[in-house]
PDB file of all heavy atoms in Angstrom:
ATOM      1  N   SER A 172       6.548  11.014   1.803  1.00 92.00           N
ATOM      2  CA  SER A 172       6.504  10.024   0.720  1.00 92.00           C
ATOM      3  C   SER A 172       5.292   9.178   0.992  1.00 92.00           C
ATOM      4  O   SER A 172       4.913   8.918   2.094  1.00 92.00           O
ATOM      5  CB  SER A 172       7.796   9.180   0.704  1.00 92.00           C
ATOM      6  OG  SER A 172       7.905   8.449   1.857  1.00 92.00           O
ATOM      7  N   LEU A 232       7.860   9.337  10.773  1.00 93.00           N
ATOM      8  CA  LEU A 232       6.548   9.073  11.349  1.00 93.00           C
ATOM      9  C   LEU A 232       5.666   8.411  10.288  1.00 93.00           C
ATOM     10  O   LEU A 232       5.611   8.894   9.178  1.00 93.00           O
ATOM     11  CB  LEU A 232       5.853  10.375  11.864  1.00 93.00           C
ATOM     12  CG  LEU A 232       6.482  11.002  13.100  1.00 93.00           C
ATOM     13  CD1 LEU A 232       5.977  12.458  13.222  1.00 93.00           C
ATOM     14  CD2 LEU A 232       6.105  10.231  14.324  1.00 93.00           C
ATOM     15  N   ALA A 270      -2.769  12.506   7.268  1.00 92.00           N
ATOM     16  CA  ALA A 270      -3.699  11.388   7.285  1.00 92.00           C
ATOM     17  C   ALA A 270      -5.059  11.800   6.727  1.00 92.00           C
ATOM     18  O   ALA A 270      -5.697  11.061   5.964  1.00 92.00           O
ATOM     19  CB  ALA A 270      -3.870  10.896   8.729  1.00 92.00           C
ATOM     20  N   GLY A 446      -8.404 -22.562 -18.935  1.00 76.00           N
ATOM     21  CA  GLY A 446      -7.089 -22.226 -19.488  1.00 76.00           C
ATOM     22  C   GLY A 446      -7.083 -21.776 -20.897  1.00 76.00           C
ATOM     23  O   GLY A 446      -8.094 -21.844 -21.608  1.00 76.00           O
ATOM     24  N   LEU A 534     -16.114 -47.540 -36.094  1.00 89.00           N
ATOM     25  CA  LEU A 534     -15.236 -46.377 -36.248  1.00 89.00           C
ATOM     26  C   LEU A 534     -14.666 -46.314 -37.704  1.00 89.00           C
ATOM     27  O   LEU A 534     -14.139 -45.287 -38.129  1.00 89.00           O
ATOM     28  CB  LEU A 534     -14.068 -46.434 -35.298  1.00 89.00           C
ATOM     29  CG  LEU A 534     -14.447 -46.349 -33.807  1.00 89.00           C
ATOM     30  CD1 LEU A 534     -13.193 -46.289 -32.956  1.00 89.00           C
ATOM     31  CD2 LEU A 534     -15.365 -45.190 -33.502  1.00 89.00           C
TER      32      LEU A 534
END
Side-chain angles (χ1 to χ4, degrees):
S172 66
L232 289 164
L534 299 186

